[in-house]
Amino acid sequence: MTHFPKGLMISAPSSGTGKTTVMLGLLRALKDDGLTVQPFKSGPDYIDPAFHFAAAGRASFNLDTWAMDDTLLDAVTTQAQGADICVGEGSMGLFDGVATRGQSGFGSSAETALRMGWPVVLVIDVGGQAQSAAATALGFKMYNPDLPFAGVILNRVASPRHERLTRLGMERAGVKVLGSLPRRGDLTLPERHLGLIQAVEHPDLEAAIAGYAAFLRENVDLDAIRTVASTAAAPTPRALPRPPAQRIALARDAAFSFTYPHLLEGWRAAGAEILPFSPLKDEAPATDADLVWLPGGYPELHGATLAAAENWRKGMTRHAETKPVHGECGGYMALGEALIDKDGTRHQMAGLLGLVTSYEKRKFHLGYRRAELQAPMPGFGSGAYLRGHEFHYSTILDEPDAPLARVMDADGNPVPETGSIKGHVTGTFFHLITGEHA
């Protein structure tokens, strides 16, 4: 393989420290400096990569040591070919993962950084403390001595005096300060019930990202950031997962937008045709598609629009008579009989499955999933093992169809969200990351 780019990992002690703001600003600032920047996301988050793409102008990919084996991790890493620098964004805190080992690790950002050879830049919220922040930084630096630690970016600094005291602590601890960001209330991305709002819904995303980049350029040593970037050996070139069909009608709009980028890239690379259509615009899937795939998203926010989409519903019914349809999470709910929104209003869905779900009483479902298929689904035969991630607030009121899979959490405990199969139609609550063929 020719030159493989160096990289670094933007992480934090915990969620909510401002690392996404730093990540987006850094991606855009480096791009504005003329670099080709390859973003990555550590862990199973499927909202952040769309923001990364908006900031860097290059598709972002997930690296997940719990869900992915070495072959798939190499295949995903290979997507950085041709970039000048890689920037990874961690999930949760740097060392946070699950308790039971998965395909190649426990799913922590530290594992991703170690595997990639990326030094860690730790974003620390120093609000309410000064020199004490250095103890946090030192603990993270020393927790795993094998992990390269580049330094810290101080966030939400209240005043020049606050910055001076905090820097004194970092100097005493031998921790390099790469930047210091003054407290600003306008730097948070809008939130919604699943965390961040989707990139496609942000009222003025381009202006926001440009603002983050200007803010970082003023307060972070970008030359130092570029200098600390490093990498392990170049990955062995591998192919991404193959497509489940040749012509795939893919629902694509504000209600259906969550598909892992490495899957779509693998489908395209293998020669599959992706045929986008919008249920919200009452578009039917292409009549010559071999498969209809409904990704996750927010159908519960568009219940009335989907209920009125007669053309979409008829097209789905026509396709399902002879050819496969599959839905994930929000897509699974939209394939059901009805969806009840948070106000208690019942909306008719596609009716291809008997599933009825409700958001009236929110119940949080979050975590990795390992599923043993009890019946075939597009791309996989009965008995295959799939790995994915579940993240939603809906409650099942009725699930009358045959279960698609035996589903377990990361520790191997069974979960009740088995998915469904009825005729040519299948659905799961988890978003597929990878599968092991039986």
Side-chain angles (χ1 to χ4, degrees), residues 326-329 332 377 404 418-420 426-432:
H326 183 73
E328 295 185 330
C329 200
Y332 176 39
M377 65 165 265
L404 176 64
T418 60
S420 301
T426 54
T428 66
F429 263 116
F430 63 84
H431 296 82
L432 177 69

Side-chain angles (χ1 to χ4, degrees), residues 66 98 100 366-371 387-388 390 406-416:
W66 185 87
V98 294
T100 302
L366 171 69
Y368 285 121
R369 299 291 182 256
R370 186 166 187 255
R387 287 177 187 261
E390 188 172 333
R406 190 170 64 89
V407 184
M408 296 150 281
D409 66 14
D411 295 321
N413 303 308
V415 299

Side-chain angles (χ1 to χ4, degrees), residues 67-92:
M68 298 178 176
D69 61 15
D70 286 332
T71 299
L72 183 52
L73 286 167
D74 275 352
V76 175
T77 304
T78 304
Q79 302 308 305
Q81 193 66 34
D84 297 311
I85 189 170
C86 299
V87 185
E89 180 182 357
S91 56
M92 301 187 295

